[in-house]
Amino acid sequence: MAGYQNDVIFEITPQVLLKAYACGLFPMAESADDPGLFWLEPEQRGILPLDTVHVPRRLKRTIRGDFFEIRTSTDFQGVIDGCSAPMPGRQKTWINREIRRLYGELFEMGHCHTVEAWQDGDLVGGLYGVSLNGAFFGESMFSFKTDASKVCLIHLVARLKKGGYTLLDTQFVTGHLAKFGTLEVPKDEYNVLLSSALQRETDFYALSTKATGAEILSILDGQTDASS
């Protein structure tokens, strides 16, 4: 598929996509049925500061109880299918065939990762995003079970901290993400954070894929708000 810019058709490759992220851009589609993509560079960018993540007390209990088996980058197709599924408050998706192709190719290249919540052998929640040096660009998440995506998000934060990342880009601030401390920063400030993050060497798998909830919380210990 092709993208459109000033009526000039150009091919979007995974390499082009990574360069766009490095410049502060990200793609979206109008709908799942729209074959094209367009680029966004918001004036206000959503980020979740890794050192000040808020974890509500009830969610801490869920994480510590290991009610979900958390896996990392084992089922990209299942996660993007979940992110595309209709849910309360989200009846339509922007994830079209081109998004699936591009991020699937990034997954094969090792630049796209998933964090997955499993229960009784079923994928019940998860998220996916793009990793580029010290920046992680969150794309979408889903839950079929209460708190599944929230647990995945906290596991992601711990993994990024352990791996030496400095930027978790959420693109926008939603009511859901705001509960964890997500905030908006101006584009110029975001670009400074991005430039710094891109200079870092990181390891997405520095944290064991078998890390328990207690281990996850210990990484965030002293930096999270224990209030409900």
Side-chain angles (χ1 to χ4, degrees), residues 2 7 89 131 161 165 169 208:
D7 296 326
S131 174
K161 288 179 64 64
Y165 290 73
D169 175 2
S208 170

Side-chain angles (χ1 to χ4, degrees), residues 62 65-72 74 115-125 148 151-152 155 209-211:
T62 300
D66 291 319
F67 295 107
F68 302 106
E69 177 193 353
I70 303 300
R71 303 180 190 174
T72 305
T74 71
V115 180
E116 309 151 11
W118 293 76
Q119 198 171 66
D120 300 325
D122 294 324
L123 179 63
V124 296
V151 172
C152 288
H155 272 255
T209 57
K210 301 295 184 181

Side-chain angles (χ1 to χ4, degrees), residues 3 14 21 23 26 33 41 45 51 57 65-66 70 77 88 95 108 139 151-152 168 171 174 177 197 209 228:
Y21 275 111
C23 293
F26 61 90
D33 299 324
E41 188 181 19
R45 193 68 164 252
D51 289 334
R57 182 178 295 129
D66 291 319
I70 303 300
Q77 193 61 52
I95 298 175
E108 295 299 324
E139 284 295 321
V151 172
C152 288
L168 174 50
Q171 299 178 350
T174 65
L177 290 173
T209 57
S228 59

